[in-house]
Amino acid sequence: MNSSLFLTLLLTFVLVQFASAQYSAEFEAFLKKFGRNYDETEKLERSVIFEKNLIQIREHNKKYDAGETTWKMGITTFADWSWDEFVQKKLGVRDEQKCSATKGPMTVLSANYPESVDWRLQGVVTHVKDQGNCGSCWTFSTTGCLEAHTSIKTKLPPVPLSEQNLIDCAGDFNNYGCNGGLPSQAFEYIKFNKGIDTESVYPYEGVDDVCRYNGSASAVGAKVVDIYNITAYDENGILNAVATVGPVSIAFEVISGFSNYVGGVYSAQGCGTTGDDVNHAVLAVGYGTDWITGMPYWTVKNSWSADWGVDGYFYIQRGVNMCALAACASYPIV
């Protein structure tokens, strides 16, 4: 072996070892920050997943720093999860489900809408919750929307409602507990059921359980008179509702990488555009325009805890049906 080849191989070995040490140090910091305790076998498996995700994060952020993308990734609590694991534990709209939204007249926009709206500033949006390892996102979108609309109508502070009530009791309305559901059909259950219990009466467990709906006057936190299903793909209809009525339950397709979102306006090319593609339900609580990029966005409340994203929220591109967000939009009439 000549000296030149030997030096090249030696340098490559040193660089690989240096990179591995860096990943190892970041992984150890991650374990400490998020309180992970693994046995040696799982720790090794998780470290491999973490390194793969970290590479994706760094490559993406190079594009962000270069102005080639409008959102940023970072090390979140999901940084040592595989994509398949994330889909299984966090996403919750089943293939068998169809949106209640149907074809209808598209909304004609008014010139009188505010340039931006944020219902959080009106004090009608409850704190960000955490669905845990249960595909119950649909229940959090439902309760978050109903909490806000009830508060808007009563002019009282919002009362947290029971997601577990929906997980356990709304199965006859094409919902599947921890295996998925849709807010529009959850609103139908609440209307038929003549109410939903408060979170304090029927606390969250994050597992499928038997129905224990209380239904007493002191236990029921809100009722639904009717459901407004916005015409499928009518994003202007969502704008009209958020601007003039209140927050709107929406669903969209989450694809790989979004789990490690930490800021900016999310925009992706690899997601779908139809109701058949959506896999996660969330709550649009406002809208605006990014002052740096000029990109219109929705302000969206998620259910992955306040430690994720921007204090539990994210921003997503508005006006282009990004990731099919306009396919399944609805809100309750209270």
Side-chain angles (χ1 to χ4, degrees):
M1 180 182 299
N2 62 49
S3 59
S4 178
L5 178 59
F6 174 77
L7 289 174
T8 300
L9 292 173
L10 179 61
L11 178 60
T12 301
F13 175 79
V14 170
L15 290 174
V16 168
Q17 293 301 310
F18 177 72
S20 297
Q22 279 191 311
Y23 289 130
S24 178
E26 294 216 36
F27 183 57
E28 292 296 334
F30 166 83
L31 295 176
K32 182 177 180 180
K33 178 178 180 180
F34 292 100
R36 299 286 206 272
N37 292 296
Y38 299 129
D39 61 36
E40 287 304 313
T41 300
E42 186 173 8
K43 183 177 180 181
L44 179 59
E45 293 172 351
R46 293 290 176 183
S47 69
V48 172
I49 297 171
F50 178 83
E51 182 173 334
K52 180 180 178 181
N53 287 334
L54 188 58
I55 291 171
Q56 181 188 32
I57 291 168
R58 288 176 173 173
E59 290 301 314
H60 176 89
N61 285 345
K62 287 179 183 177
K63 296 179 181 179
Y64 177 78
D65 292 338
E68 297 172 8
T69 185
T70 55
W71 63 286
K72 188 175 183 179
M73 294 175 69
I75 297 174
T76 72
T77 187
F78 307 119
D80 69 340
W81 284 24
S82 69
W83 173 240
D84 288 342
E85 181 180 16
F86 184 83
V87 170
Q88 181 183 10
K89 292 181 177 180
K90 286 294 180 181
L91 304 183
V93 174
R94 289 168 57 126
D95 293 339
E96 298 94 328
Q97 294 172 308
K98 298 297 180 183
C99 300
S100 298
T102 58
K103 292 182 179 179
M106 293 294 183
T107 305
V108 177
L109 289 180
S110 165
N112 298 321
Y113 295 138
E115 291 185 2
S116 64
V117 166
D118 190 338
W119 284 99
R120 294 174 296 179
L121 301 179
Q122 305 304 315
V124 301
V125 180
T126 58
H127 64 281
V128 174
K129 304 178 186 180
D130 187 355
Q131 68 187 73
N133 297 334
C134 168
S136 57
C137 55
W138 60 280
T139 70
F140 290 86
S141 176
T142 301
T143 58
C145 198
L146 183 53
E147 288 161 355
H149 282 264
T150 302
S151 179
I152 292 168
K153 180 179 180 180
T154 62
K155 296 180 172 55
L156 296 173
V159 176
L161 301 174
S162 173
E163 293 81 22
Q164 194 67 40
N165 186 167
L166 298 176
I167 290 173
D168 297 340
C169 308
D172 289 340
F173 290 77
N174 196 30
N175 294 306
Y176 300 89
C178 281
N179 292 309
L182 285 169
S184 58
Q185 291 153 351
F187 292 138
E188 293 286 357
Y189 158 76
I190 298 169
K191 176 184 176 182
F192 174 83
N193 196 53
K194 296 182 174 55
I196 179 174
D197 284 342
T198 64
E199 188 174 57
S200 61
V201 168
Y202 202 150
Y204 190 65
E205 300 170 4
V207 295
D208 295 306
D209 207 338
V210 296
C211 182
R212 291 152 289 155
Y213 173 66
N214 184 304
S216 67
S218 61
V220 170
K223 296 182 178 182
V224 171
V225 175
D226 209 346
I227 300 90
Y228 191 95
N229 293 309
I230 296 171
T231 298
Y233 311 114
D234 183 9
E235 199 165 351
N236 286 342
I238 302 176
L239 179 63
N240 178 72
V242 174
T244 64
V245 183
V248 172
S249 288
I250 61 174
F252 74 113
E253 185 188 14
V254 172
I255 61 174
S256 178
F258 180 75
S259 60
N260 290 313
Y261 166 95
V262 296
V265 180
Y266 181 73
S267 180
Q269 295 180 343
C271 52
T273 59
T274 74
D276 294 332
D277 300 316
V278 300
N279 57 14
H280 187 49
V282 287
L283 183 66
V285 301
Y287 64 84
T289 302
D290 186 75
W291 66 276
I292 297 176
T293 64
M295 180 177 285
Y297 63 78
W298 295 106
T299 304
V300 186
K301 182 184 182 184
N302 204 352
S303 52
W304 296 342
S305 90
D307 293 330
W308 179 88
V310 183
D311 298 324
Y313 289 80
F314 65 96
Y315 304 97
I316 187 169
Q317 186 175 6
R318 172 168 57 93
V320 295
N321 187 34
M322 178 55 59
C323 297
L325 66 80
C328 304
S330 61
Y331 62 88
I333 298 172
V334 299

